[in-house]
Amino acid sequence: MSDTIEKMVIVGTGPAGLTAAIYGARSGLSPTVYAGIQPGGQLTTTTEVENFPGFSQGILGPKLMEEMTEQAKRVGSKIINEAVTSVETVNSPSGAVKKLWTSDGGSILAHTVILCTGATAKTLGLDRETELMGHGVSTCATCDGFFYRKKHVVVVGGGDSAMEEALFLANLAEKVVLIHRRALFRASHIMLERAKKHPNIEMMVPYTVCKLLEKDGALIGVTTQHSESQEQRDLPIDGLFYAIGHTPNSQIFRPWVDTDDQGYVIVHDYVKTKTSGVFVAGDLCDPHFRQAITAAGLGCRAAMTAIRYLDERNL
């Protein structure tokens, strides 16, 4: 471990982390950015992105993250392809300093840290699921729903998020089948009633999706199974959307942050955590929007807040 204390360390390279890196680098801080186990974040698993401003013809998710990474490097960020494995706070002559241990066995000291490790969408873990992500399988209706206009899709889930996804898709797709493994939904009464009343939404309970059907590398249907009788039947569809929740990647940061019962980091003033000098941005603290553009906006805010923190302390 070097005794050098970095001005700014950023954990994560999705839209939040890379935007924070761009702002930090342009302020002359040369931030160190740890790419983590999924460099580029969830957008690297998508295909076309049409709702990120500045690309009139859309852009592939991996390409967008590649461009943001190169921009962050060009203005002075250091990208390291390692993950942060644990954190702690240590005392130093300049005050409390943050220490981060990394997957290569090393460590780094920093005056400010911006956490941007995002949240991982829950899936069913079916065979070929990873390969079909972005080719018929999705975890975000707002992101990908446009590609299913006038088509047949399935939404898996039973909570408010599933109702919201189904309702959003029902205004685009010709038919939405909402599949839930139980006969009773967890969703609030008002959301459930809205979904039930929509003419394009069909409820299918209690069923699970047990197999993905594909042709030429694209989803063409699913095999469903009745939760009680175990009877199976194939359902031809164009798209499958998971709405069974997200797992925020916050566990290792618990010494520095408080989290809610779902694991999302609790913040005040949008990006501040309970620990002075530790900030957060993106899906790690946002259970509601989970969009690339909102993550990028929080990344900007986190970096500017961290810069102000350093200036106020003459660090």
Side-chain angles (χ1 to χ4, degrees):
M1 179 185 70
S2 170
D3 292 332
T4 301
I5 304 175
E6 300 289 328
K7 298 282 189 180
M8 178 185 290
V9 168
I10 298 165
V11 188
T13 48
L18 291 171
T19 300
I22 291 166
Y23 275 79
R26 283 176 54 82
S27 296
L29 299 180
S30 300
T32 297
V33 186
Y34 286 97
I37 59 175
Q38 188 180 34
Q42 293 185 62
L43 279 185
T44 59
T45 67
T46 66
T47 50
E48 196 81 10
V49 176
E50 293 198 330
N51 57 0
F52 199 91
F55 301 94
S56 62
Q57 302 303 311
I59 184 172
L60 293 175
K63 179 63 175 176
L64 174 60
M65 301 321 301
E66 179 185 323
E67 290 289 334
M68 291 182 73
T69 300
E70 290 305 312
Q71 184 179 4
K73 288 180 179 178
R74 182 179 63 80
V75 294
S77 301
K78 297 171 289 187
I79 310 290
I80 299 178
N81 290 318
E82 298 290 341
V84 170
T85 57
S86 63
V87 301
E88 62 177 305
T89 301
V90 297
N91 291 321
S92 76
S94 61
V97 171
K98 290 75 189 169
K99 183 177 181 181
L100 303 91
W101 297 91
T102 56
S103 54
D104 64 351
S107 63
I108 190 171
L109 298 175
H111 286 299
T112 65
V113 178
I114 302 176
L115 309 177
C116 307
T117 50
T120 302
K122 296 178 182 178
T123 64
L124 296 178
L126 300 175
D127 186 43
R128 298 288 297 166
E129 194 175 69
T130 300
E131 293 81 358
L132 291 172
M133 195 66 67
H135 300 279
V137 179
S138 173
T139 58
C140 179
T142 308
C143 309
D144 300 328
F146 179 81
F147 303 110
Y148 297 91
R149 295 177 67 87
K150 306 301 181 184
K151 296 185 178 182
H152 289 201
V153 301
V154 158
V155 173
V156 176
D160 279 354
S161 293
M163 302 305 137
E164 290 172 2
E165 299 273 280
L167 286 163
F168 178 86
L169 289 166
N171 292 322
L172 297 168
E174 181 177 296
K175 182 179 181 181
V176 178
V177 179
L178 185 56
I179 296 180
H180 184 44
R181 58 180 175 163
R182 298 188 179 93
L184 298 177
F185 289 93
R186 295 179 290 105
S188 61
H189 177 75
I190 187 170
M191 291 301 299
L192 180 58
E193 287 304 305
R194 286 177 184 171
K196 284 182 175 179
K197 290 177 181 178
H198 200 292
N200 291 356
I201 297 177
E202 173 188 321
M203 305 285 185
M204 190 171 172
V205 296
Y207 277 89
T208 59
V209 173
C210 61
K211 185 179 180 180
L212 304 179
L213 307 176
E214 66 174 297
K215 181 179 181 181
D216 299 327
L219 185 77
I220 60 169
V222 294
T223 299
T224 63
Q225 180 172 292
H226 194 277
S227 300
E228 297 168 358
S229 69
Q230 308 304 308
E231 177 190 359
Q232 294 186 357
R233 63 185 174 108
D234 291 344
L235 184 65
I237 57 167
D238 303 293
L240 170 67
F241 291 82
Y242 288 128
I244 52 179
H246 288 72
T247 302
N249 303 314
S250 60
Q251 185 65 37
I252 65 170
F253 306 122
R254 298 291 170 83
W256 288 345
V257 304
D258 288 328
T259 59
D260 64 16
D261 56 1
Q262 297 180 70
Y264 289 96
V265 175
I266 296 171
V267 296
H268 58 95
D269 293 338
Y270 295 95
V271 295
K272 295 179 181 179
T273 71
K274 71 173 184 180
T275 301
S276 180
V278 177
F279 309 93
V280 64
D283 289 9
L284 188 61
C285 60
D286 175 19
H288 303 294
F289 299 104
R290 298 194 296 268
Q291 298 298 300
I293 191 63
T294 53
L298 285 173
C300 166
R301 186 161 190 153
M304 295 181 71
T305 305
I307 292 164
R308 188 176 300 117
Y309 172 94
L310 293 166
D311 288 345
E312 290 172 349
R313 291 159 178 77
N314 296 314
L315 295 173

